[in-house]
Amino acid sequence: MTLLIGVSLVFGALALYPQILPVFEWATPVVLVFWGTSRFYFFEVDDSLTSAGGCLLLLGGFTLAAYRFVPMDDLTGAVAHLIPAIGIFVELFANHHRDHD
C-alpha cells in the first residue's frame, strides 16, 4: 500500500508539475553516489567485498550521470545501466555476508 501511494504521488507530481522531471531523472545517480560513499564512511575499507560494492555504486552513479548528460549509443547506454545493477547486487551480497559473520 505504501509503494502504491508513493508511486501515485510521484506520478501526480509529474502530471501537475512537468518541470520537476529533471529532478527525478538526476535523483538516481546522486543517490547511487551517496550510497557508495556511505559504504566507505560506515564500513571503511576493511572488507574487500563492501569496498568493491561501494566502488561499483560510485562508478555506477557517475556512469549513469554521464549517460544522462551526454548522448550515447545503445551499447554504451546498456553498460551505463548495467554497472549500477551490478553494484547494487554486490552491495546486497556484501550486506548478506556482514550479517552472517
Side-chain angles (χ1 to χ4, degrees):
M1 186 69 176
T2 305
L3 185 61
L4 183 64
I5 292 171
V7 169
S8 299
L9 287 175
V10 167
F11 282 124
L14 286 174
L16 293 174
Y17 304 105
Q19 66 268 23
I20 202 168
L21 181 63
V23 173
F24 288 114
E25 288 179 351
W26 284 97
T28 305
V30 170
V31 167
L32 285 171
V33 168
F34 284 153
W35 189 13
T37 306
S38 72
R39 300 298 93 190
F40 293 111
Y41 180 74
F42 291 125
F43 303 108
E44 298 172 351
V45 292
D46 296 335
D47 185 17
S48 60
L49 192 58
T50 303
S51 296
C55 286
L56 282 170
L57 287 171
L58 280 169
L59 181 64
F62 288 128
T63 57
L64 201 56
Y67 174 73
R68 300 232 192 271
F69 191 64
V70 178
M72 299 179 186
D73 61 345
D74 291 338
L75 180 63
T76 310
V79 171
H81 283 90
L82 186 65
I83 293 173
I86 293 171
I88 290 169
F89 174 74
V90 170
E91 176 52 37
L92 291 174
F93 192 69
N95 191 15
H96 172 74
H97 279 284
R98 278 194 307 270
D99 290 342
H100 289 290
D101 286 343

